[in-house]
């Protein structure tokens, strides 16, 4: 299934974008948006209705509305949640 992110608007160049994905399902594979680097991935493989989570990051060199596209989860139409966060550089 597709994991869709609400886009954010950055106000400075070189903001760090963090994409978070959570999926209700057992032993799934989540794929981050194109260009993002996976920094966290946990799968609950023991429970029949396990939970999975992933975080990934990307250095966004532009100012303005992000257009990061979508991520995916491997097994059909499980419930999922996605959040995109922009961290402002100092």
């Amino acid at each position: 299934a597709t994991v869709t992110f609400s886009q954010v608007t950055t106000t400075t160049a070189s903001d760090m974008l963090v994409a978070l994905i959570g999926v209700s399902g057992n032993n799934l594979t989540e794929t981050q948006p194109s260009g993002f680097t996976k920094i966290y991935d946990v799968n609950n493989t023991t429970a029949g209705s396990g939970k999975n989570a992933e975080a990934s990051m990307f250095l966004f060199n532009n100012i303005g509305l992000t257009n990061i596209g979508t991520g995916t989860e491997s097994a059909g139409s499980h419930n999922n949640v996605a959040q995109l966060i922009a961290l402002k550089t100092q």
Side-chain angles (χ1 to χ4, degrees):
T2 299
V3 179
T4 304
F5 296 90
S6 295
Q7 304 303 306
V8 297
T9 301
T10 62
T11 58
T12 59
S14 300
D15 284 354
M16 178 64 65
L17 300 181
V18 178
L20 305 172
I21 300 172
V23 180
S24 175
N26 190 20
N27 201 21
L28 303 173
T29 301
E30 302 86 23
T31 303
Q32 66 273 13
S34 178
F36 278 65
T37 301
K38 187 180 293 190
I39 56 176
Y40 176 83
D41 191 2
V42 63
N43 292 313
N44 180 344
T45 60
T46 59
S49 59
K51 307 295 185 256
N52 300 291
E54 179 190 291
S56 57
M57 65 181 187
F58 176 76
L59 188 61
F60 188 67
N61 289 317
N62 298 319
I63 297 172
L65 186 64
T66 60
N67 185 18
I68 66 161
T70 61
T72 60
E73 54 98 344
S74 63
S77 59
H78 291 282
N79 293 329
N80 64 59
V81 62
Q83 181 67 50
L84 180 64
I85 302 167
L87 302 174
K88 184 177 177 181
T89 57
Q90 294 291 333

